[in-house]
């Protein structure tokens, strides 16, 4: 082929396509394989979903992981620079790609297409004291923080009528286990009356029952590369936090 375009984030293939096959290479990057935020996280020895406690608590393991990450970032940069034209989905992604791949050529921001026609027609009136969270049940979404935020709100204002509904989809058994952990945490904190979990909600129900009634959309992922749920919140008149 004369042109090779990657949208899956497989940077090593750019080297093959450009230097072995002689292709013009283009790519659309949704999320960098490694970012400077990941390097800083390990350097600070901070525990996270992608930096387990047994590593962050060990100086030796943290140093070894940091060396590995620096090697991976260097290799990722070499592969990325084989692209003739690079597109990214947000300014956040462009910042990280530019830092690792370089700015020559500067990546173009091309926002993902988001059809919001059905959501923009939702009325802004008659909203309830309802907070909704929308996203897959993955570790980086940090649903635990949402639950603890609700517990803190109830402690500060026991009379509040605010409710939190955590809405998300399950892809596999791992996601189902995370849903069970979320429900267990809700029970342990005594929040069954004000926090609810809804799994694999149909679009009609999401639009007409939840987005139409909510005032606030809660999102707790750190280093979000785009966040289509935030776009949906804003289009439906739900204030994102």
């Amino acid at each position: 082929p004369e042109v090779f375009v990657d949208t899956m984030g497989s940077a090593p293939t750019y080297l093959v396509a450009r230097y072995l096959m002689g292709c013009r290479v283009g790519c659309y990057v949704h999320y960098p394989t490694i970012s400077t935020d990941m390097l800083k996280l390990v350097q600070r020895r901070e525990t996270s979903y992608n930096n387990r406690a047994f590593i962050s608590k060990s100086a030796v393991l943290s140093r070894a992981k940091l060396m590995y990450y620096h090697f991976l970032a260097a290799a990722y940069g070499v592969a990325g620079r084989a692209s003739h034209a690079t597109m990214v989905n947000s300014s956040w992604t462009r910042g990280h790609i530019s830092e690792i791949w370089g700015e020559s050529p500067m990546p173009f921001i091309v926002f993902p297409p988001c059809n919001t026609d059905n959501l923009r027609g939702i009325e802004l009136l008659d909203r309830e004291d309802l907070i909704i969270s929308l996203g897959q049940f993955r570790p980086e979404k940090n649903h635990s923080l949402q639950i603890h935020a609700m517990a803190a709100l109830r402690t500060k204002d026991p009379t509040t009528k605010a409710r939190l509904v955590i809405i998300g989809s399950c892809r596999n058994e791992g996601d189902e286990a995370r849903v069970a952990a979320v429900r267990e945490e809700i029970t342990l904190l005594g929040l069954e009356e004000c926090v609810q979990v809804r799994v694999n909600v149909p679009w009609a129900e999401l639009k007409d029952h939840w987005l139409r009634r909510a005032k606030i959309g809660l999102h707790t992922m750190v280093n979000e590369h785009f966040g289509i749920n935030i776009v949906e919140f804003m289009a439906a008149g739900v204030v994102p936090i």
Side-chain angles (χ1 to χ4, degrees):
E2 294 183 3
V3 178
F4 177 86
V5 180
D6 168 62
T7 62
M8 299 296 291
S10 183
T13 60
Y14 308 168
L15 296 169
V16 176
R18 178 169 182 169
Y19 297 113
L20 294 184
M21 301 173 63
C23 300
R24 298 288 293 178
V25 177
C27 63
Y28 184 72
V29 182
H30 298 271
Y31 198 91
T33 300
I34 186 166
S35 68
T36 52
D37 287 331
M38 294 167 65
L39 293 168
K40 292 173 183 176
L41 183 76
V42 177
Q43 193 169 24
R44 293 194 305 266
R45 295 177 60 185
E46 182 177 327
T47 301
S48 179
Y49 69 92
N50 58 355
N51 193 39
R52 296 184 180 181
F54 79 91
I55 294 178
S56 64
K57 292 178 180 179
S58 168
V60 174
L61 292 178
S62 292
R63 183 179 294 275
K65 184 172 183 178
L66 189 59
M67 291 175 61
Y68 165 71
Y69 269 10
H70 276 295
F71 170 78
L72 183 60
Y76 188 50
V78 170
R81 284 189 287 275
S83 172
H84 293 96
T86 300
M87 295 172 287
V88 295
N89 64 349
S90 67
S91 58
W92 182 90
T93 305
R94 182 170 71 173
H96 286 287
I97 289 297
S98 297
E99 195 162 357
I100 295 176
W101 292 11
E103 298 182 353
S104 181
M106 174 65 76
F108 296 96
I109 297 177
V110 180
F111 295 118
C114 302
N115 188 349
T116 59
D117 292 343
N118 291 332
L119 297 175
R120 284 184 291 174
I122 296 178
E123 292 289 337
L124 299 178
L125 303 176
D126 300 323
R127 300 285 176 141
E128 303 174 14
D129 292 336
L130 175 64
I131 306 166
I132 61 172
S133 166
L134 182 59
Q136 292 179 333
F137 286 97
R138 302 205 308 259
E140 61 267 30
K141 299 301 182 182
N142 203 357
H143 291 103
S144 178
L145 180 59
Q146 299 175 7
I147 299 168
H148 282 273
M150 197 65 187
L153 175 63
R154 297 273 291 186
T155 299
K156 186 175 183 179
D157 182 10
T159 63
T160 183
K161 296 181 180 179
R163 295 182 298 118
L164 169 64
V165 179
I166 301 173
I167 304 170
S169 59
C170 279
R171 303 163 298 172
N172 48 44
E173 292 181 357
D175 287 355
E176 291 172 1
R178 279 185 280 274
V179 171
V182 166
R183 286 178 167 148
E184 182 179 0
E185 193 164 18
I186 292 169
T187 302
L188 288 174
L189 292 174
L191 299 174
E192 298 98 321
E193 294 183 1
C194 61
V195 180
Q196 181 183 357
V197 177
R198 299 283 296 173
V199 180
N200 296 331
V201 171
W203 169 250
E205 179 185 339
L206 174 63
K207 172 179 173 286
D208 298 327
H209 191 71
W210 300 113
L211 288 169
R212 184 186 63 80
R213 296 161 55 202
K215 288 182 179 178
I216 293 173
L218 187 60
H219 190 67
T220 48
M221 178 178 171
V222 177
N223 297 325
E224 175 64 82
H225 57 296
F226 180 72
I228 192 169
N229 58 333
I230 297 173
V231 176
E232 291 171 341
F233 285 155
M234 293 189 292
V238 179
V239 179
I241 295 179

